[in-house]
């Protein structure tokens, strides 16, 4: 518990710094959007490429961890799709609001997971998160973009061409493929390039957490409801529980099992807000979900790591 809290505290302080900087106006709207794009399209892809290029997958439980995370996400995503009509009928949740619940329930904040893994376990922990990125990033982006294309804008028909275009332009997916190609072919870039990516990757963790803090809207929590609670329970309780159960069945133990729990216990991704804003979803609800989960995770995340990570 203390290790988890010690790792979480610096992360929360950086998030809080981003929130304060945004609220006092030191960095404002267009500047934040530029910073978000820099983090999303440049800094974070660098850390993905470098870690995937250098990680020794043979020394890690790649298959078990990947199946655990992909399986847990698939189970919760399927459950949500099955209850979508019930949510609409019982609580009046529109298709656009459902897309925010969906993203808030299954997507993960990679920045927070990487930062905590680095704090708790060092390079080996970052390598495990790299495995999680391979397993989850393409799947989650495919699921999120598909659900947004299908439900976010009722006036725009679902288009497979548009979906494929969105997927191929996603920087996380592209960076994952590049890192895997380097790893499998052994064609490592020159040392200067790798060093540059390492420097940019170090910036990515802090930059990503600052972006998370800037996107938080504490005042939005004055209107809690079924949408908020559904996403919070599924994201912070159900998903890590399913992951721990699957991981145990597949033979994950120790740090690998704890990494699976960490990845499924962190709040949802701040990128979900950007996607909701760009594809016609309920961006306001997405911001509320992100805010509530970031606050609630202060309590739920350490408990999940202690209870579920030690199964």
């Amino acid at each position: 518990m203390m290790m988890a809290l010690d790792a979480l505290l610096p992360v929360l302080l950086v998030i809080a710094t981003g929130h304060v900087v945004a609220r006092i106006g030191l960095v404002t709207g267009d500047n934040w959007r530029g910073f978000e794009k820099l983090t999303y399209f440049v800094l974070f892809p660098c850390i993905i490429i470098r870690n995937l290029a250098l990680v020794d997958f043979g020394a890690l439980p790649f298959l078990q961890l990947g199946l655990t995370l992909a399986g847990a996400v698939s189970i919760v995503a399927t459950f949500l799709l099955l209850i979508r009509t019930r949510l609409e009928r019982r609580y009046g949740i529109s298709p656009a609001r459902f897309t925010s619940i969906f993203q808030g329930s299954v997507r993960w904040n990679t920045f927070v997971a990487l930062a905590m893994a680095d704090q708790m376990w060092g390079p080996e922990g970052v390598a495990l998160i790299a495995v999680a990125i391979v397993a989850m990033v393409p799947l989650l982006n495919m699921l999120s973009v598909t659900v947004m294309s299908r439900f976010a804008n009722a006036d725009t028909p679902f288009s497979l061409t548009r979906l494929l275009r969105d997927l191929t332009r996603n920087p996380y997916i592209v960076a994952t493929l590049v890192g895997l190609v380097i790893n499998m072919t052994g064609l490592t870039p020159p040392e200067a390039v790798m060093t540059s990516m390492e420097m940019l990757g170090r910036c990515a963790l802090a930059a990503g957490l600052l972006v998370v803090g800037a996107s938080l809207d504490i005042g939005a929590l004055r209107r809690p409801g079924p949408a908020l609670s559904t996403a919070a329970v599924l994201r912070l309780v159900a998903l890590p529980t399913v992951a721990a159960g699957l991981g145990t069945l597949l033979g994950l133990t120790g740090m690998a099992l704890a990494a699976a729990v960490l990845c499924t216990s962190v709040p949802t991704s701040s990128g979900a807000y950007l996607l909701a804003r760009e594809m016609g979803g309920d961006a306001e609800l997405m911001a509320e979900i992100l805010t509530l989960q970031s606050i609630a995770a202060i309590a739920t995340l350490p408990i999940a790591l202690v209870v579920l990570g030690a199964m």
Side-chain angles (χ1 to χ4, degrees), residues 280-296:
D282 192 328
E284 181 179 349
L285 174 59
M286 197 68 251
E288 295 175 8
I289 290 172
L290 177 61
T291 302
L292 176 63
Q293 290 186 9
S294 297
I295 295 173

Side-chain angles (χ1 to χ4, degrees), residues 7-286:
L8 184 58
L9 182 58
V11 171
L12 294 175
L13 290 175
V14 177
I15 291 175
T17 300
H19 182 72
V20 171
V21 167
R23 292 303 170 265
I24 65 176
L26 185 61
V27 180
T28 55
D30 289 339
N31 293 323
W32 272 120
R33 282 189 285 275
F35 191 58
E36 288 173 352
K37 288 185 177 181
L38 176 66
T39 304
Y40 188 66
F41 287 101
V42 179
L43 300 182
F44 195 68
C46 283
I47 198 171
I48 293 177
I49 292 173
R50 186 178 184 279
N51 278 292
L52 289 179
L54 298 179
V55 67
D56 181 6
F57 287 114
L60 297 172
F62 179 80
L63 183 61
Q64 297 97 315
L65 181 56
L67 287 175
T68 294
L69 294 171
V73 167
S74 299
I75 289 171
V76 173
T78 301
F79 172 75
L80 271 168
L81 290 171
L82 290 174
I83 67 170
R84 184 188 68 82
T85 303
R86 180 177 176 84
L87 290 173
E88 181 177 358
R89 291 175 179 173
R90 183 167 183 177
Y91 300 112
I93 292 175
S94 66
R97 287 177 71 80
F98 171 77
T99 63
S100 292
I101 296 174
F102 185 90
Q103 287 202 91
S105 299
V106 299
R107 294 189 67 164
W108 64 314
N109 196 309
T110 321
F111 300 126
V112 175
L114 272 169
M116 287 195 65
D118 186 44
Q119 287 285 325
M120 290 190 294
W121 306 309
E124 188 176 353
V126 173
L128 287 169
I129 303 303
V131 172
I133 289 170
V134 175
M136 295 176 72
V137 167
L139 173 63
L140 284 172
N141 279 280
M142 182 177 67
L143 288 173
S144 297
V145 173
T146 301
V147 167
M148 293 294 295
S149 296
R150 174 65 179 83
F151 297 111
N153 192 339
D155 298 328
T156 303
F158 177 75
S159 168
L160 181 60
T161 301
R162 176 187 175 188
L163 172 62
L164 292 175
R165 184 177 66 248
D166 290 338
L167 291 173
T168 55
R169 290 179 178 178
N170 186 284
Y172 290 3
I173 294 177
V174 173
T176 299
L177 293 175
V178 171
L180 288 174
V181 168
I182 294 173
N183 188 295
M184 291 185 292
T185 61
L187 300 176
T188 306
E191 185 62 29
V193 175
M194 297 299 287
T195 302
S196 298
M197 286 196 292
E198 180 184 9
M199 294 170 66
L200 291 169
R202 289 175 181 172
C203 298
L205 293 180
L209 296 176
L210 289 172
V211 168
V212 171
S215 66
L216 297 184
D217 182 7
I218 306 299
L221 299 183
R222 290 174 297 183
R223 301 178 301 279
L228 274 172
S229 57
T230 298
V233 171
L234 289 176
R235 170 73 243 176
L236 302 177
V237 180
L239 190 59
T241 301
V242 173
L246 283 177
T248 301
L249 289 174
L250 292 171
L252 284 183
T253 58
M255 189 187 303
L257 179 61
V261 173
L262 172 63
C263 292
T264 51
S265 298
V266 294
T268 193
S269 169
S270 57
Y273 173 78
L274 299 176
L275 187 63
R277 189 169 60 188
E278 291 177 6
M279 295 190 67
D282 192 328
E284 181 179 349
L285 174 59
M286 197 68 251

